[in-house]
Amino acid sequence: MKRFKKFYIETTSICNLSCVFCPPTERAKGFVSIEDFSHTLDQVKPFTDYIYFHVKGEPLMHPKIDQLLDISHDKGFKVNITTNGTLITKNKHKILGKPALRQINFSLHSFDGHPGSKNKANYLRQILEFVREATAISPLIVSFRLWNLELDNEVNQQKQKNRELLSLIEEEFQLDYQIEERFKPGQGVKIAERIYLNQDPEFDWPAMDAPEDDGKGFCYALRNQAGVLIDGTVIPCCLDGEGLLNLGNVHEKNFADIIEDERAVNIYDGFSRREAVEELCRKCGYRKRFG
């Protein structure tokens, strides 16, 4: 039986920001219901122990996120949440100390990525206050993410913008070095116990109107990851934000059967040959990171 290290469950397709790096979904806006969420967990339980509240949307917008975490714990899952962090103070009472919550990833690049963002220092201060409180009462892992570096810019204006955030983090954790000094591409910097910072170049979401390449390369889709959108659509990876590679629906068919159907098997076998068999995959630059 396949086991996935990462299983993405979209809890909402709604976001409170409009970041330039994240195309808005063309799917129906909504929140996963408690019943559908519980059913999805039952479907995927034999295949993973770790679920990620992430695909599109802002997870902290879900009005019943505390219940989603409790259900996850009851069913034996550990949860990772990826958030832009803007709603952390408003919702911290719903997630603090929840036993299911294993890790929270703060996409700090959301601040500069959203044209209407104001007061960067206050934005980060609220996140740091949560981190301080949460890590003191639980074994929570925290990852600060700055996925906005520019590959071909020697001066790199974004690095200069990031310096303000990094300075505040260095001050909070009383670091005697600049984080950039420890940064290595593809690796995180450990800045405190269970607290990390990851920097990476910005990536483009794959889209059908993007140019297609030769299709060579590898991807972990359906190998160590898969996902389910709010309507139950099964997707092979977290970058299929529109559900274009619709493998089936967990409310209509067992997940165990969906991933053994012809389309899913062809995707898996294709990447075993380092070949992208789906058009969308041939238009995904992220695949090139894995050779």
Side-chain angles (χ1 to χ4, degrees), residues 115-155:
S117 295
K118 297 179 180 179
N119 199 336
K120 186 180 294 188
N122 185 61
Y123 161 73
L124 185 58
R125 179 185 59 77
Q126 293 185 59
I127 291 174
L128 292 174
E129 286 179 357
F130 169 83
V131 169
R132 194 182 309 124
E133 188 173 354
T135 54
I137 65 171
S138 74
L140 182 69
I141 300 169
V142 174
S143 173
F144 299 122
R145 292 178 172 180
L146 282 169
W147 290 2
N148 58 7
L149 300 183
E150 300 160 9
L151 287 173
D152 301 318
N153 186 344
E154 210 169 295
V155 177

Side-chain angles (χ1 to χ4, degrees), residues 124-125 128-129 131-133 144 166-175 191 195:
L124 185 58
R125 179 185 59 77
L128 292 174
E129 286 179 357
V131 169
R132 194 182 309 124
E133 188 173 354
F144 299 122
L166 295 177
S167 294
L168 292 168
I169 292 172
E170 290 159 3
E171 180 181 349
E172 168 71 18
F173 295 100
Q174 300 180 347
L175 303 183
I191 58 177
I195 300 176

